[in-house]
């Protein structure tokens, strides 16, 4: 049985509810680093609102779990795969490539990272020619640069590639 | 008379070169965004909001409102031609739009959608012009308790009328509110919820990070899964004879136009409702009241006109509480409201007195945008069909690039881009499990405003929550709070009502 068939909607529902319950507890603990009490003399502590909002979240997740156990929610009776195998490939590759893109932005800078991201993504998922992919992958970062740095004057992260842009800035601001 | 003069001034404001250029550009982008499966007004507005930082607020709101408007028109194009709704607001358009296209009458369906949108948009903007000033005048008397009560009612509407799983809806509201508390506390100045002492959390979580994450990254993942890049386009012949025949078919849709326009407007005003339920309700009621109700679903123009009238009308209606009360009527207006705060404005009734150019420029632009979108929509149908042929595998990375740059630009911090990715993945999974995501976006926008109003109210009352329920001192706040409580407990009576109804039927 493939991994995608093992992860059914039913299993995903309970797993996500448990994870959200744990996150709510973590938020409550974190909120309690500040004062969580409230009275007329002391006014509201900084942790009061986040603590009780997290408590509310915990109650909601517990209710979701109870509905699951009592089979009152549609998901609790659904044994179909949470995600189809073909779609899983799209989603997994997209998520991994996005994570690598953001990691690369911190090191290589956004423009070079975008070139690699677009080239990989288009090569992997589309049937376009190498020429199309190359032109598309180069033009998109150039347009991004012109739009943000030239038009909006918002500098985007450039990482180790920053010195390569000095001549362009000299030209733009001279 | 005053309203008429202010409206004229607003129309003149929207004819200023920058505003008019952005209005037409916004309509075009909106049509494109709406036409693309998986992208709707909320995605377009969320992704595009960072580019409005360099233009004046009036031009920015005119541009984004035009995107919102255009997307309502554009949604019908892919519903008809691909059988995939361009956005959730155009789901009901598929019911009869797609069968019409399959029968070879795609032009009739597209014309019906465009004219329906125009009629719905026009009726609603007239209602908007008439209702907005008196409502804003009443809202001017609101203080912190009334404001807080209104916000509670906005959250309660999601629970009472949203129609989703109640614990999951409340969870979504609460997580949005909890995320909005991250950063420095307004009153004590103490840092709250600074996870792992990461300094990025000190400036809080910008609503855009959540909005772009959910409606950009999350929506793209959802659409990639749904479409897997495959599209099935219907054939379309565009000539004057076809267009003439299409207009002729609209004679039988007057009732659908009336239902869609008026129902859409009033449903649009409700915070939890917006254009999607408005269009579905309008389709359902038109079908019920029609003499040819059995033909609905097999391709009748009235089945296209009813939802298209309603979704445009609702989009205008949802701006009414946004401008007059500072409460968004839809996820898209929640993002617009967040935009106003970013542009340095205070949403709410004071806008009418302090920023008349902004308010009336927006209202005036709705009239102009309605006209331009109709013209552009019909004229550019062949161009939109070309765009629809772009494989999703090419469109998706472009949207991801826009999301990453849009997530970085407001604070220029990679920390926010990571958070955006996290929210995108989480939003995708939660949406697959029927957790509504719109309440979380609404909550993160309203959270800081609600907290401020709550704390100010409690200072006024020396810490007593009774201030929200005091019919003698604060009747408006109390009435709104009681309505909110009714909305909150309403879902609990649903099963009881059904049980009683079944029992009555059997006896």
């Amino acid at each position: 049985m493939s991994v995608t068939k093992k992860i059914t909607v039913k299993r995903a529902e309970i797993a996500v509810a448990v994870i959200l319950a744990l996150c709510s507890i973590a938020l409550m603990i974190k909120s309690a680093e500040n004062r969580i009490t409230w009275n007329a003399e002391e006014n509201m502590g900084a942790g009061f609102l986040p603590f009780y909002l997290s408590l509310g979240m915990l109650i909601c997740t517990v209710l979701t779990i109870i509905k699951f156990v009592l089979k009152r929610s549609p998901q609790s009776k659904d044994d179909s795969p949470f995600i189809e195998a073909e779609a899983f490939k799209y989603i997994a590759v997209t998520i991994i490539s996005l994570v690598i893109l953001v990691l690369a932005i911190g090191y290589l800078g956004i423009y070079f990272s975008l070139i690699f991201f677009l080239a990989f993504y288009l090569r992997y998922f589309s049937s376009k020619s190498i020429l199309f992919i190359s032109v598309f992958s180069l033009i998109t970062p150039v347009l991004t640069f012109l739009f943000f740095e030239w038009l909006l004057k918002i500098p985007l992260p450039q990482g180790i590639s920053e010195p390569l842009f000095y001549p362009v800035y000299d030209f733009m601001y001279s | 008379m005053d309203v008429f003069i202010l409206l004229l001034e607003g129309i003149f404001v929207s004819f200023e070169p920058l505003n008019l250029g952005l209005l037409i550009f916004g309509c075009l982008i909106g049509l494109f965004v709406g036409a693309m499966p998986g992208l709707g007004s909320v995605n377009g507005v969320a992704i595009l909001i960072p580019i409005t930082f360099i233009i004046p607020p009036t031009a920015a709101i005119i541009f984004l409102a035009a995107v919102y408007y255009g997307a309502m028109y554009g949604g019908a194009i892919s519903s008809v031609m691909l059988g995939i709704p361009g956005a959730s607001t155009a789901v009901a358009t598929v019911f009869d739009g797609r069968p019409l296209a399959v029968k070879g009458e795609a032009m009739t369906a597209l014309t019906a959608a465009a004219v329906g949108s125009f009629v719905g948009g026009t009726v609603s903007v007239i209602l908007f012009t008439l209702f907005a000033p008196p409502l804003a005048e009443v809202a001017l008397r609101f203080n912190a308790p009334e404001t807080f009560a209104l916000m509670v009612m906005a959250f309660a509407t999601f629970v009472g009328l949203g129609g989703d799983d109640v614990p999951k809806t409340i969870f979504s509201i609460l997580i949005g509110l909890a995320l909005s508390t991250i950063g420095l506390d307004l009153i004590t100045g103490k840092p709250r919820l600074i996870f792992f002492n990461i300094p990025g959390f000190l400036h809080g979580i910008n609503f855009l990070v959540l909005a772009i994450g959910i409606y950009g990254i999350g929506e793209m993942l959802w659409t990639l899964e749904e479409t897997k890049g495959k599209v099935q386009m219907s054939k379309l012949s565009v000539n004057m004879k076809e267009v003439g025949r299409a207009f002729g078919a609209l004679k039988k849709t007057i009732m659908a136009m009336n239902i869609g326009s008026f129902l859409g407007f009033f449903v649009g005003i409700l915070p939890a409702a917006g254009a999607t339920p408005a269009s579905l309700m309008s389709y359902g009621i038109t079908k019920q009241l029609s003499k040819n109700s059995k033909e609905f679903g097999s391709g009748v123009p009235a089945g296209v006109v009813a939802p298209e009238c309603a979704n445009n009308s609702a989009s205008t209606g949802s701006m009414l509480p946004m401008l007059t009360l500072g409460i968004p009527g839809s996820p898209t207006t929640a993002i617009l409201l967040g935009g106003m705060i970013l542009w340095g404005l205070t949403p709410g009734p004071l806008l009418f007195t302090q920023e008349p150019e902004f308010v009336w420029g927006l209202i005036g632009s709705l009239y102009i945008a309605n006209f331009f979108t109709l013209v552009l929509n019909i004229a550019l149908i062949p161009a939109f069909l070309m765009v629809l042929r772009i494989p999703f595998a090419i469109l998706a990375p472009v949207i991801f690039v826009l999301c990453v740059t849009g997530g970085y630009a407001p604070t220029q911090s990679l920390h926010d881009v990571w958070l955006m990715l996290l929210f995108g993945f989480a939003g995708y999974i939660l949406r697959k499990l029927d957790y509504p995501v719109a309440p979380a976006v609404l909550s993160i926008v309203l959270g800081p405003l609600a907290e401020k109003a709550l704390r100010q109210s409690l200072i006024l009352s020396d810490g007593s929550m009774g201030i929200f329920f005091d019919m003698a001192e604060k009747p408006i706040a109390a009435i709104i709070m009681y309505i909110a409580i009714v909305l909150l407990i309403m879902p609990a009576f649903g099963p009881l009502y059904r049980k009683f109804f079944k029992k009555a039927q059997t006896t």
Side-chain angles (χ1 to χ4, degrees), chain B residues 181-192 194 201-204:
Chain B
T181 64
I182 293 175
L184 297 177
D185 178 27
L186 291 169
I187 307 279
T188 63
K190 283 186 180 166
R192 298 190 290 194
I194 310 299
F201 285 115
L202 282 169
H203 64 67

Side-chain angles (χ1 to χ4, degrees), chain B residues 94 143 182 186 199 204 221 310 355 395 458 492 498:
Chain B
V94 179
N143 291 316
I182 293 175
L186 291 169
L221 293 174
E355 303 284 344
L395 188 77
L458 292 176
R498 278 193 291 274

Side-chain angles (χ1 to χ4, degrees), chain B residues 225-237:
Chain B
E225 184 187 340
E226 293 284 301
T227 63
K228 297 175 195 84
K230 291 170 195 153
V231 284
Q232 286 249 318
M233 181 89 90
S234 293
K235 282 187 182 162
L236 175 78
S237 60

Side-chain angles (χ1 to χ4, degrees), chain A residues 118-139:
Chain A
L118 289 168
F120 165 76
Y121 203 89
L122 293 175
R123 184 82 188 127
Y124 195 87
F125 285 123
S126 78
S127 51
K128 295 285 175 188
S129 67
I130 297 280
L131 180 68
F132 175 89
I133 292 174
S134 309
V135 172
F136 194 86
S137 308
L138 284 171
I139 284 182

Side-chain angles (χ1 to χ4, degrees), chain B residues 76 79-80 83-85 88-103 109 276 279-284 287 295-304 307-308:
Chain B
S79 292
V80 171
I84 304 167
S88 63
T89 51
V91 167
T93 312
V94 179
F95 302 159
D96 276 275
R98 184 63 180 163
L100 273 170
V102 172
K103 283 197 284 188
T276 306
S279 60
L280 288 164
M281 282 167 73
S282 170
Y283 181 87
K287 186 181 168 182
E295 286 174 24
F296 274 67
S298 62
V300 288
V304 178
E308 282 301 309

Side-chain angles (χ1 to χ4, degrees), chain B residues 60-208:
Chain B
I61 193 78
I62 286 176
F63 170 66
L64 292 176
V67 172
Y68 188 11
Y69 224 78
M72 290 297 147
Y73 274 76
I77 299 173
S78 58
S79 292
V80 171
M81 299 309 293
L82 305 177
I84 304 167
S88 63
T89 51
V91 167
T93 312
V94 179
F95 302 159
D96 276 275
R98 184 63 180 163
L100 273 170
V102 172
K103 283 197 284 188
E105 294 174 39
M107 197 60 208
T108 303
L110 291 174
T111 309
V115 175
S117 298
F118 178 75
V119 172
T122 307
V123 170
S124 61
V125 80
I126 293 170
L127 292 173
F128 186 101
T129 313
L130 297 175
F131 278 102
L135 191 59
E137 209 156 300
V138 173
L140 270 174
R141 289 178 219 143
F142 287 8
N143 291 316
E146 287 83 6
T147 308
F148 180 71
L150 263 178
M151 290 185 187
V152 173
M153 193 177 77
F155 300 134
T157 320
F158 272 101
V159 181
L161 304 179
D164 295 299
D165 183 286
V166 173
K168 287 178 178 176
T169 307
I170 299 177
F171 180 87
S172 184
I173 294 169
L174 294 177
I175 197 167
L177 289 172
L179 289 173
S180 76
T181 64
I182 293 175
L184 297 177
D185 178 27
L186 291 169
I187 307 279
T188 63
K190 283 186 180 166
R192 298 190 290 194
L193 303 177
I194 310 299
F195 303 101
F196 310 108
N197 290 325
I198 297 171
F201 285 115
L202 282 169
H203 64 67
I205 294 184
N206 192 319
F207 82 97
L208 262 183

